[in-house]
Amino acid sequence: MSKAEEIASYYDRTTETYLRIYGEVIQAFRPKSNRKLLSYLRSSIGFKKGQKILDAGCGVGGPAVYFANKVNVSIEGVTISDVQVEKANEKIRSKRLSSRVNIQKGDFHHLSQYFSPLDFDGAIFLESLGHAEDPVKVLNEAAQLVKPNGFIYIKDFFKKESKDEAFQQKVETVIGRMNDNYCYNTLRLIPVIETLRSLDFEIEFIKKFDFDDDTSIRAAFEEDQHIEIFKGFEEFWPAEWLEIRCTKTR
């Protein structure tokens, strides 16, 4: 089974549980309220009315529907999961947003197979880039689709790296468990930044979030799924939650 097939199978199996516990915004780093999270992202991403946006790894379309409603942007979403496509399109139809939100099945390593070059004003990765087997390839594909002066926005988890060997071993152990349980590939910050710069994107910001993480929803999901990320350790932060926005210069 390929990595893409593993991730598709994972979300086909777990989407109903995510919907029950997380709601329609499947993001681990969050305030308790989905609406507060989406309002924050709307402001931080910096949408403008009439833009065409690519939501790469869009889940069940909760953010896409919200942004289309609140900012009047059009959104093309891609998810690897058949179940998520079905759930997303049910939501889009119920909100009568089919003219502005379209979600299809696809592997974001091959975005250029689904979309035309320079067709988007921006691309967003909301806790999705960490599912990439090859993040460099995914960013290269996205960059081809974004117009000059367009943007890429990333919200994700970036592994800590320390000269303290004992601490780093703890990090590797916990990150390994997280990757195994969530079908993830936790990102490293420097390679992501180097890739974006090599693709002619200028970094506007790399920052932590202006809200506190409510871990109760994530804890409820892990209890339901019998996941023990920190078994044998006291809880600590093995990675940083960061948001990155960059603009394409040419």
Side-chain angles (χ1 to χ4, degrees):
M1 185 182 291
S2 70
K3 184 67 173 179
E5 289 170 333
E6 287 181 24
I7 295 167
S9 177
Y10 171 77
Y11 277 113
D12 286 348
R13 293 193 316 270
T14 60
T15 288
E16 289 288 358
T17 305
Y18 274 112
L19 287 170
R20 173 166 54 84
I21 296 174
Y22 277 82
E24 294 175 342
V25 183
I26 304 173
Q27 295 181 45
F29 190 86
R30 57 194 294 128
K32 192 163 189 176
S33 162
N34 276 342
R35 187 165 294 277
K36 184 175 180 181
L37 171 60
L38 292 173
S39 177
Y40 177 93
L41 291 173
R42 169 188 169 189
S43 175
S44 195
I45 293 168
F47 296 115
K48 295 179 181 177
K49 182 178 178 180
Q51 286 181 323
K52 184 176 181 180
I53 303 297
L54 171 65
D55 187 349
C58 63
V60 295
V65 166
Y66 177 89
F67 298 143
N69 257 326
K70 293 293 184 180
V71 196
N72 196 20
V73 293
S74 62
I75 297 184
E76 292 282 341
V78 174
T79 173
I80 198 69
S81 164
D82 286 313
V83 171
Q84 290 190 336
V85 170
E86 179 183 354
K87 297 293 184 184
N89 284 318
E90 287 174 3
K91 180 74 171 180
I92 291 163
R93 287 192 295 269
S94 73
K95 294 293 185 179
R96 299 182 180 180
L97 283 170
S98 298
S99 63
R100 283 193 279 134
V101 184
N102 179 63
I103 290 177
Q104 63 179 291
K105 182 178 181 179
D107 181 347
F108 60 10
H109 291 82
H110 306 291
L111 290 167
S112 57
Q113 293 182 11
Y114 317 125
F115 305 110
S116 301
L118 308 180
D119 198 32
F120 290 93
D121 298 293
I124 60 176
F125 294 87
L126 304 179
E127 295 190 27
S128 59
L129 187 60
H131 280 302
E133 183 175 14
D134 185 350
V136 171
K137 179 171 175 52
V138 174
L139 291 173
N140 271 272
E141 288 281 304
Q144 295 179 49
L145 307 182
V146 174
K147 301 172 184 177
N149 299 313
F151 67 89
I152 286 178
Y153 174 91
I154 300 166
K155 172 185 187 276
D156 223 308
F157 202 47
F158 295 87
K159 183 170 72 172
K160 286 185 176 178
E161 301 184 49
S162 173
K163 292 181 179 179
D164 183 325
E165 293 184 7
F167 177 77
Q168 191 63 39
Q169 184 57 52
K170 285 173 57 178
V171 167
E172 298 296 337
T173 298
V174 171
I175 290 294
R177 292 173 183 172
M178 194 192 80
N179 289 345
D180 290 343
N181 281 281
Y182 287 96
C183 212
Y184 224 62
N185 179 26
T186 301
L187 299 167
R188 296 176 62 231
L189 180 60
I190 299 304
V192 169
I193 298 307
E194 288 177 345
T195 298
L196 291 168
R197 289 171 66 87
S198 74
L199 295 169
D200 296 317
F201 283 81
E202 288 187 352
I203 307 301
E204 292 183 42
F205 60 70
I206 303 169
K207 64 181 182 179
K208 294 187 175 183
F209 294 87
D210 292 336
F211 57 79
D212 292 327
D213 182 22
D214 180 351
T215 62
S216 63
I217 297 173
R218 185 164 71 252
F221 180 85
E222 292 184 351
E223 181 178 1
D224 184 274
Q225 297 293 297
H226 309 292
I227 296 171
E228 296 185 84
I229 299 295
F230 293 101
K231 186 175 181 179
F233 302 108
E234 293 183 2
E235 288 199 19
F236 70 102
W237 288 104
E240 295 176 281
W241 287 102
L242 299 172
E243 54 179 332
I244 301 168
R245 194 184 194 280
C246 56
T247 303
K248 190 174 185 179
T249 57
R250 58 192 179 96

